[in-house]
Amino acid sequence: MNGSLSDGNENTIDIFVLSTSTTGSPLQARDLENLGYRATFFSDAQQLFESLRSAKPNLLICDSVTLRQESYELCRALKADYDLWVVPVLIVTSASNLADLLHVLDCNADNFISSPFDSSYFAALVEGML
């Protein structure tokens, strides 16, 4: 985990990102921070899930490009949890066919974006989800 969590006293929009790599991932902290968001990256799904118990972000982005199945499993667990299901989840995927897309939809994510993606489209999608 990197970054610091909001203490709730400011108007900061917190985005949690689950990705095993900040260099191999299509998501970069500076991209989210340039849009005015506080980005906190997690490389471990279990650590992220535990952190969600104490601090809920405005948006969770799961990078299935680097995490594959782990990101889908986390999303399923989150959406099945009584306290956490309200956290919006965006899946970043490399889905290239219908079977891949159905796999993404099966995890109950609120939305998805296929990598590589246009940065302005990504910004609009994030803004829309918030």
Side-chain angles (χ1 to χ4, degrees):
M1 176 175 124
N2 69 353
S4 60
L5 299 178
S6 171
D7 61 10
N9 293 328
E10 66 265 357
N11 292 325
T12 301
I13 296 175
D14 287 313
I15 297 179
F16 286 4
V17 179
L18 177 63
S19 178
T20 59
S21 169
T22 57
T23 57
S25 172
L27 299 166
Q28 302 296 319
R30 72 180 183 292
D31 295 334
L32 292 167
E33 290 164 358
N34 286 342
L35 294 171
Y37 308 124
R38 182 187 342 233
T40 305
F41 279 74
F42 294 82
S43 59
D44 178 79
Q46 186 61 38
Q47 181 187 23
L48 169 61
F49 202 80
E50 291 169 10
S51 294
L52 288 169
R53 296 284 177 206
S54 60
K56 292 184 182 79
N58 300 92
L59 176 65
L60 170 62
I61 301 175
C62 292
D63 176 13
S64 72
V65 174
T66 62
L67 281 165
R68 307 266 184 255
Q69 193 63 27
E70 189 176 8
S71 62
Y72 301 126
E73 290 168 6
L74 173 78
C75 186
R76 276 188 210 95
L78 185 114
K79 292 302 182 178
D81 187 280
Y82 181 78
D83 292 323
L84 301 175
W85 70 269
V86 296
V87 175
V89 178
L90 172 64
I91 297 282
V92 177
T93 180
S94 57
S96 58
N97 60 44
L98 184 57
D100 290 341
L101 181 58
L102 292 174
H103 194 66
V104 171
L105 296 174
D106 183 53
C107 75
N108 293 319
D110 296 283
N111 213 329
F112 71 94
I113 187 168
S114 186
S115 179
F117 49 79
D118 177 73
S119 60
S120 60
Y121 176 70
F122 175 74
L125 182 60
V126 168
E127 182 67 27
M129 290 185 72
L130 295 169

